[in-house]
Amino acid sequence: MKLRKVTAASAAVFALALTATACGGDDSGDKGDSGSGGGDKITIGIKFDQPGLGQKTPQGYAGFDVDVATYVAKKLGYDEDQIEWKESKSADRETMLQRGDVDFIAATYSITPERQEKVDFAGPYLLAHQDVLVRADDDSIKSPEDLNNKKLCSVTGSTSAQNVKEKLAPKAQLQEYPTYSACLTGLQNGAIDALTTDDSILAGYAAQEQFKGKFKLGGFKMTNENYGIGVKKGSDLKAKINDALEAMVSDGSWEKAVKDNFGPANYKNEPAPKIGDIKS
């Protein structure tokens, strides 16, 4: 009888374990394949420090990438309060996806062949270009060549300013500042003449309340930057996100997000790119 009682107890424990597993008790599965809806939350990587694109504020999270990611999440079956936002710094993005720290990343993430070897991309959802930001009253910089003998700022470690010096304006005087905000302060007080990086990033900074009307974009389109949404290699989320991006364009939400986030900077954005159309 004792043996029979032990066996019955063991069977009961085993049945409980099976029930817990079926109810999602084991959350060690691949996050990259989640997102079909019905889950408790979805984890999305964004930038926390880029105004107009991805910024953490006292009121929450704001920016074009945030708007795109929120729309996509809703199409995947997640309400805004089910989103967990995670900071995705540029150097960490591939690792975060490969480890499954996030379900997807929307963080000014340019699609490149090198990155495509490590992760998959949905999109692109925005075609940006390397450009310059100058003071609104400065009419001396009308082409990239006019940057010769001008003080050109970019953040430490960026290749943007070096690209200009090597290919377009060899006499440009490069100035490295620790942050874009520091470059903007230098631009405002005349310590530098121009700031260079992606036009979307420049527009986001220029659209901040304290800078409205003080700067303008050059409109030079020196490179193509195809922003995509990164997912883990082989994830079935790629196709679902592409469907969501197409819906965002067709129902007008994409255009509204552009105007809401970049409008104050008079950003002349490209039309919404077609899925899979990557401009070299």
Side-chain angles (χ1 to χ4, degrees):
M1 291 296 292
K2 187 178 290 186
L3 178 60
R4 194 178 305 160
K5 287 181 181 178
V6 171
T7 303
S10 300
V13 170
F14 181 67
L16 283 171
L18 283 176
T19 303
T21 302
C23 292
D26 180 6
D27 60 358
S28 62
D30 180 4
K31 289 175 69 62
D33 287 335
S34 64
S36 56
D40 291 335
K41 66 177 182 178
I42 187 168
T43 306
I44 303 172
I46 56 169
K47 293 290 181 67
F48 277 15
D49 58 354
Q50 284 186 343
L53 286 152
Q55 185 179 28
K56 185 177 182 180
T57 73
Q59 293 75 39
Y61 299 90
F64 180 70
D65 284 346
V66 175
D67 288 347
V68 171
T70 301
Y71 184 99
V72 168
K74 188 168 184 62
K75 287 293 185 182
L76 294 176
Y78 295 91
D79 292 329
E80 199 166 341
D81 61 2
Q82 292 177 289
I83 299 173
E84 178 185 349
W85 301 105
K86 259 191 186 178
E87 184 175 18
S88 298
K89 296 180 179 178
S90 295
D92 300 334
R93 291 176 297 201
E94 285 85 38
T95 303
M96 291 180 73
L97 288 169
Q98 290 168 337
R99 281 195 315 231
D101 296 342
V102 290
D103 292 294
F104 66 80
I105 290 178
T108 60
Y109 202 1
S110 294
I111 302 170
T112 67
E114 294 77 18
R115 289 170 178 162
Q116 286 177 306
E117 291 178 4
K118 301 175 182 177
V119 300
D120 285 341
F121 286 96
Y125 63 91
L126 184 72
L127 176 60
H129 307 280
Q130 186 182 340
D131 200 356
V132 296
L133 194 70
V134 299
R135 287 181 292 278
D137 60 357
D138 185 353
D139 294 324
S140 67
I141 301 174
K142 297 178 180 177
S143 71
E145 291 73 22
D146 291 334
L147 293 167
N148 281 309
N149 301 312
K150 299 285 189 180
K151 294 177 181 176
L152 179 65
C153 188
S154 193
V155 296
T156 305
S158 170
T159 59
S160 298
Q162 194 63 41
N163 286 341
V164 172
K165 186 174 178 65
E166 289 177 358
K167 300 173 183 177
L168 300 166
K171 294 182 181 178
Q173 300 171 28
L174 303 188
Q175 308 284 319
E176 284 194 337
Y177 282 39
T179 64
Y180 290 118
S181 295
C183 281
L184 281 168
T185 300
L187 184 59
Q188 189 172 6
N189 63 30
I192 62 168
D193 300 304
L195 161 61
T196 186
T197 186
D198 295 358
D199 54 7
S200 58
I201 296 174
L202 295 173
Y205 277 99
Q208 291 181 94
E209 191 63 40
Q210 67 268 36
F211 295 132
K212 285 181 182 177
K214 295 181 178 179
F215 305 116
K216 63 183 178 182
L217 289 159
F220 298 158
K221 299 184 178 180
M222 293 180 278
T223 63
N224 290 328
E225 305 296 334
N226 303 273
Y227 289 175
I229 293 182
V231 297
K232 191 172 183 177
K233 200 79 172 167
S235 172
D236 64 357
L237 272 184
K238 177 180 175 179
K240 297 173 185 176
I241 292 173
N242 279 335
D243 289 343
L245 292 174
E246 288 181 332
M248 187 176 189
V249 173
S250 64
D251 69 14
S253 298
W254 184 91
E255 191 67 35
K256 182 180 184 301
V258 169
K259 286 185 167 38
D260 287 348
N261 292 290
F262 303 128
N266 295 316
Y267 175 49
K268 294 178 175 60
N269 63 284
E270 297 277 7
K274 297 206 178 296
I275 298 301
D277 184 14
I278 300 171
K279 304 292 186 187
S280 58

